[in-house]
Structure formats: C-alpha cells, structure tokens
Amino acid sequence: MGLDDRDALRVLRDAVDPALGSGELVRRFYTHWFAIDTSVRDLFPPDMEAQRNRFAQAVTWVLGELASQRAQEPVAFLAQLGRDHRKYGVAQHHYDSMQNALYSSFRSHLAECWDDTLAEAARDAVALMIGMMRGAADAEQGPPFCDGTVIEHIRATRDVSVVRLQLDRPLFYHPGQYVTVQVPQWPRRWRYLSPSIPTDPAGAIEFHIRSVSGGMVSTAIVGETTPGDRWRLSHPHGGLHINRDGGDVLMVAGSTGLAPLRTLIMDLTRWGVNPRVHLFFGGRFPCDLYDLRTLWQIASQNPWLSVTPVSEFNVDPPWARDYPDVHPPRGLHVRQTGRLADVVTRYGSWGDRQILICGGPEMVTVTKAALIAKGAPAERIQHDPLHS
C-alpha cells in the first residue's frame, strides 16, 4: 500500500517525533549518513543538537500530513526545502546517501515490528521526501544565495541592532517574507531574519536583530558586526501578506517582529487608498520601542495607519541613556503599559480584521491565544513559523 497505508505512516511519524523521544533514531540517522558519505559532515555546524531537532520536527510534520492524506502542503514544503538547501552546497549525490541512511535508520530502529507493509511505506515516504527535494534543487536555475556587504550598524538599544547591507545583486522578495542569513562570526549557522524594507532594485537591504539570551548568532550580530563584514543570504520564505481588498488590518509586533510588518506598511504607501491598519508595537521598556520615529513619519503622511506603542514597564532602566532617544514627536497614540496581548485585547476581539502577529515564539503564541479567546477567528490570524 505504501503511501496509502495510514497506519504504517503513523508508525514512522511516531518513531521520529521528538515529543515521543526520537533522539536515538535521529542520532543514528546522522551517524550512518556521515559514515557512508564523509563529505556530508562538512555541510553542518559542529554542534548538531539544533539541526537534529529541526530535522525531526520537519519529518514528523511531513509524515503526519501524508498519514492524513494531505500531500499538497508537504510537497510544496519539500520542494522549497530542496531549493533552499542549495545554499549549503548540497549536491545530488548527497541525496542518494541521505535516502539510504534514512531508510536504514527506520528499519534498524523499528526492527521489532518491521514487516513488508512498514518497509513499503518507509521506502515510498523516504523516496518522496528525498525525490521532491532533489527534483526542486535540480530544477532551480538561479544562484543558491546572495552575498552582501555591511555598510552600517546602528545599536538602537542594548539588545537591538539595525544592520544595513549593500547586496552584490538585488534580492527580490515579497513584503513580509524572511530569509536565512549566515554571518562571518558563525559559518554554517543560519538565522532567520526579516527584511525591514521592501525589495530595493539597487540591492539595499536592512535587518533588525535582537540579541536573544543563549542565541549565538544573534548575540554575535548585535555585539560584533562591523561595516565591511560579508553576509550570505538565502532565497526568501514565508507568506505573510495583506489583502488590500480583504478589510481592515490589525498588526501586533513584539520588538524586532516589527521588521516584516514595517515592510508591509511601507509597501502599502505606494497606494493612495488602503484598508485601515492599526499597529500595536511592544517592548519591555519604553526605550525598546526603537523604531517609533520611523513609524511616526509614515503615519503622519498616511491617515490609514494608526500606531499604538506598548511597554510592559512605564519607566526606562538607567542603561537607556546610552542609546538613541526613541521618543517620537507628538502625534502617535498615547503609549499603553502592560503585556502586549493584554493591551491589544482590551480593545475587543478584532475579529473583523486581517490579523498579523510577529515577534518571539512565546509572544506570538500568547497573543494569538488571547485574540482567539476574545472571539477572533483563528483562520484570520497570520504569523510565521515559530522558530525559536
């Protein structure tokens, strides 16, 4: 039965599910893969823990969707994954060894219940996953990545940097999309960043980066980036968008989650008539609202945009005086104090709006849950995948 055998696919899904203790299987897979194809190891960072977890989560989702007989999204996801993996230097022969290693790892891990039906499902599922990635990568004709030079690094707050680059060639992306970025301080470690300006035909691009506790790449970017550094960017991902005919819009941005929403707002300024957009921009302290001056400038010229600043605390810490003053001229809504989710839902459910939420995984999860609890339809809420 192969891919039609839902029970067999669920067995494979549960075997690789990190929530069910798949660590041994995933470690066995990478150990086997590196043993039969030594060139693969150089494509990965020294510390494999995060990579193993991402792999397990992705395969679990794909197998779960296949078990539910929903193939459209997994196929699109795998194709995008194949195109994106070109940036690592993945060659066609790597897919051959990967297919061998993954199938063998399933067979070894599930030896006690392995039979012909499970073998057929594993063979077909692995062949589909690897085949879609291989085919999409082979069909892509453009360069696998885009390089650029840092031309300006602004420390906006203690934890947030604004980094501007001049790319060697323009990178075309839709407003609201994100890319993966590799910086010279951490080769082979890629971090998700959202451009904060729309595509520039001359190759200019800007990112807002917050240093995350324990985050090696973000901490290096904020603390060590200097003009002249060479960055490498992948092709864009993501589907955050505004339907200009879909009604008014609520945006909720936590810290540097502002970047993709600001890009969407800047793109809307190309039109004279737009849906009303209400943006809640939150941070821990008032000084964390690092981009209020830009938002004030946009709102002052575009009456469809309203901005409400939100901070958890009402007073800045002493270190704030070492960074630029972020307070805008008069004209924005009065700053509110409290948790972002609480402040947003004080105004109601926003159920008649297109809702976009951007920020850290915890903030997105809490805000989405609060809006749904107030009555906002879940299907009207957009956010990017919750990468930690």
Side-chain angles (χ1 to χ4, degrees):
M1 295 176 65
L3 294 177
D4 293 324
D5 191 333
R6 297 188 179 194
D7 291 337
L9 290 171
R10 291 189 186 102
V11 171
L12 297 173
R13 178 200 62 193
D14 292 348
V16 77
D17 188 346
L20 300 178
S22 64
E24 179 184 351
L25 168 61
V26 177
R27 281 191 293 272
R28 177 181 291 155
F29 158 65
Y30 279 107
T31 299
H32 188 188
W33 192 15
F34 296 163
I36 63 177
D37 190 345
T38 56
S39 66
V40 174
R41 185 63 185 91
D42 291 336
L43 305 180
F44 293 93
D47 179 8
M48 288 291 294
E49 182 176 357
Q51 171 63 31
R52 287 193 293 263
N53 188 55
R54 286 194 297 269
F55 173 82
Q57 289 176 336
V59 176
T60 299
W61 177 79
V62 169
L63 290 172
E65 292 294 289
L66 294 177
S68 299
Q69 301 296 292
R70 296 190 295 263
Q72 184 174 355
E73 286 192 27
V75 166
F77 168 76
L78 291 164
Q80 179 60 53
L81 207 60
R83 289 189 290 268
D84 190 52
H85 272 57
R86 297 186 310 137
K87 70 175 183 271
Y88 299 116
V90 175
Q92 290 294 310
H93 70 86
H94 293 137
Y95 288 111
D96 294 329
S97 56
M98 181 182 182
Q99 184 167 344
N100 182 346
L102 185 55
Y103 177 82
S104 298
S105 298
F106 274 125
R107 184 179 58 196
S108 299
H109 187 76
L110 297 170
E112 293 184 3
C113 61
W114 196 258
D115 56 20
D116 290 344
T117 59
L118 197 55
E120 184 179 1
R123 183 179 62 250
D124 290 354
V126 171
L128 172 67
M129 289 187 285
I130 304 303
M132 287 304 306
M133 293 174 64
R134 183 206 306 267
D138 189 48
E140 187 67 34
Q141 299 299 313
F145 48 74
C146 179
D147 291 337
T149 302
V150 174
I151 58 174
E152 189 173 14
H153 176 201
I154 301 168
R155 286 294 295 270
T157 76
R158 184 173 64 172
D159 301 323
V160 173
S161 286
V162 175
V163 178
R164 296 175 178 139
L165 297 96
Q166 178 62 48
L167 302 179
D168 296 349
R169 59 178 179 83
L171 178 66
F172 295 100
Y173 50 87
H174 296 295
Q177 287 193 300
Y178 59 92
V179 299
T180 53
V181 175
Q182 178 183 252
V183 298
Q185 291 84 359
W186 283 102
R188 290 184 289 164
R189 291 188 184 273
W190 296 77
R191 192 182 191 279
Y192 295 99
L193 295 178
S194 295
S196 59
I197 60 173
T199 288
D200 178 67
I205 197 167
E206 176 184 288
F207 296 106
H208 300 173
I209 305 98
R210 183 171 68 91
S211 177
V212 178
S213 178
M216 294 177 288
V217 177
S218 63
T219 301
I221 292 175
V222 172
E224 302 173 21
T225 297
T226 59
D229 283 356
R230 296 283 289 172
W231 286 19
R232 176 159 290 177
L233 283 59
S234 77
H235 288 286
H237 303 264
L240 279 182
H241 67 280
I242 292 173
N243 178 359
R244 292 184 61 247
D245 298 319
D248 293 338
V249 181
L250 167 68
M251 294 182 170
V252 186
S255 186
T256 53
L258 174 66
L261 302 184
R262 194 184 84 159
T263 305
L264 284 161
I265 289 170
M266 293 176 72
D267 184 64
L268 287 176
T269 63
R270 296 187 296 142
W271 289 277
V273 178
N274 283 305
R276 291 181 300 162
V277 177
H278 196 124
L279 168 67
F280 287 84
F281 176 34
R284 192 175 185 200
F285 300 105
C287 63
D288 288 325
L289 305 177
Y290 63 94
D291 208 35
L292 282 182
R293 290 179 180 268
T294 301
L295 296 174
W296 174 85
Q297 291 172 352
I298 298 173
S300 67
Q301 301 176 48
N302 295 277
W304 45 264
L305 176 63
S306 299
V307 180
T308 297
V310 181
S311 64
E312 293 185 31
F313 298 94
N314 197 37
V315 179
D316 281 329
W319 53 259
R321 66 175 64 97
D322 297 330
Y323 297 92
D325 179 13
V326 303
H327 296 90
R330 298 173 68 90
L332 288 180
H333 283 61
V334 175
R335 179 174 51 81
Q336 304 290 304
T337 304
R339 285 198 325 162
L340 193 50
D342 296 336
V343 173
V344 171
T345 52
R346 283 178 203 161
Y347 293 81
S349 72
W350 303 90
D352 60 338
R353 304 290 181 106
Q354 303 177 67
I355 301 174
L356 289 76
I357 310 173
C358 291
E362 181 179 356
M363 169 265 171
V364 172
T365 301
V366 169
T367 302
K368 181 179 180 180
L371 285 164
I372 292 174
K374 274 285 188 174
E379 62 272 15
R380 290 184 66 85
I381 300 175
Q382 299 179 53
H383 58 80
D384 281 329
L386 299 178
H387 305 294
S388 59

